[in-house]
Amino acid sequence: QVQLVESGGGLVQSGGSLRLSCAASGFTFSATVMSWYRQAPGKERELVASISTGGGSTMYADSVKGRFTISKDNAKRTVWLQMNSLKPDDTATYYCNVRYGISYWGKGTLVTVSS
């Protein structure tokens, strides 16, 4: 079955960096678009970044452009989210997502940015 396991979250000071990882299994990873979403307390889940099947095309939410970078390695079946210049507004639970027939989600990893 489809499994997405996120890791790499934690507590970081404003201006710091974190790198999130998502290990995927149970589907054809190289043929799917992968995405990162986040959900802050009391807010709706929002799309942060997506990457194409081959990794050559990416898209970002305006709020993270220039600070976050999404990447993937099809051989390792892993997608990463490098987050730099973190701000308190980036505090959220970050989720890995794949649409493979239906939408699948990991359990999330919490990122807390202190001011």
Side-chain angles (χ1 to χ4, degrees):
Q1 70 275 26
V2 174
Q3 286 193 322
L4 301 170
V5 180
E6 304 97 335
S7 61
L11 174 64
V12 64
Q13 288 188 334
S14 182
S17 298
L18 283 174
R19 190 190 195 204
L20 306 183
S21 299
C22 172
S25 61
F27 62 97
T28 309
F29 184 82
S30 60
T32 54
V33 172
M34 298 297 299
S35 299
W36 284 97
Y37 284 72
R38 68 185 181 186
Q39 187 167 18
K43 295 187 178 180
E44 293 187 355
R45 193 170 295 190
E46 63 174 352
L47 177 62
V48 174
S50 292
I51 188 165
S52 62
T53 55
S57 180
T58 56
M59 66 78 61
Y60 298 92
D62 287 343
S63 58
V64 306
K65 278 181 183 176
R67 300 188 298 122
F68 290 12
T69 303
I70 188 171
S71 60
K72 68 180 310 198
D73 185 322
N74 285 338
K76 294 182 178 180
R77 303 180 60 84
T78 301
V79 59
W80 296 276
L81 185 67
Q82 177 67 45
M83 305 186 296
N84 299 328
S85 303
L86 283 161
K87 307 174 181 179
D89 284 349
D90 295 318
T91 294
T93 298
Y94 285 72
Y95 297 92
C96 186
N97 170 267
V98 63
R99 288 185 174 83
Y100 194 72
I102 62 173
S103 196
Y104 291 90
W105 301 91
K107 293 183 178 180
T109 185
L110 178 62
V111 172
T112 304
V113 184
S114 62
S115 57

